[in-house]
Amino acid sequence: MLTLMKCSVTPELPSLERPADVAGRLAAPADVYYVVKTLGGSIGERQHCVSSSLYETSGQAHAQLTRLMTTNPDHVYSVWKASTYIEPARWAYDVVLSDETVLRSKQHA
C-alpha cells in the first residue's frame, strides 16, 4: 500500500511578483519536481511525505534534496516528478518557478 502525505517540514516561502501570461493569469508549469521522504511501515507498506514545495526544475528539487539530506542524514529522501494534463495547470501546493517566484496554490490565496 502506498500512502502520500504532506510533511510539516516544508518552509514557508515568500510570495514574489511574476508577470502574467497574455490572459492575465499566472502560468503554472505542467511538470513539477518535489522531494519526498520515505517512512518505514509494516511489512509491505510504505508511507511517503512531500517534504518540499513543488519546483519547476529538477535542479531546484535536487538542491532541496541535498539540503534535506545534509540536515537530516538519517532520513530517506528522493526527488519525484508529477505532470498534469489539465490546462491551465493547477497544483494543490505552492510552486517555486525557476526564477524563484512562488506561485501560491488556491489554498494559500
Side-chain angles (χ1 to χ4, degrees):
M1 183 167 125
L2 178 71
T3 306
L4 189 63
M5 60 189 132
K6 179 78 170 169
C7 292
S8 60
V9 297
T10 303
E12 278 299 315
L13 298 168
S15 184
L16 304 172
E17 294 297 319
R18 177 179 166 92
D21 64 12
V22 291
R25 296 180 306 261
L26 297 178
D31 298 324
V32 293
Y33 301 85
Y34 53 99
V35 179
V36 171
K37 179 171 76 171
T38 301
L39 308 170
S42 302
I43 295 175
E45 275 188 29
R46 282 193 204 161
Q47 293 183 343
H48 303 281
C49 296
V50 177
S51 296
S52 71
S53 295
L54 305 180
Y55 296 100
E56 183 176 24
T57 69
S58 173
Q60 291 170 291
H62 279 90
Q64 180 64 15
L65 173 69
T66 301
R67 283 190 286 277
L68 288 170
M69 288 173 58
T70 300
T71 58
N72 303 299
D74 54 330
H75 295 144
V76 177
Y77 294 100
S78 57
V79 172
W80 289 16
K81 178 182 177 183
S83 299
T84 183
Y85 299 98
I86 298 171
E87 293 287 336
R90 288 172 281 174
W91 296 102
Y93 302 112
D94 296 346
V95 177
V96 181
L97 302 176
S98 59
D99 64 0
E100 297 302 316
T101 299
V102 178
L103 237 63
R104 295 284 181 198
S105 69
K106 291 211 181 240
Q107 296 176 27
H108 291 107

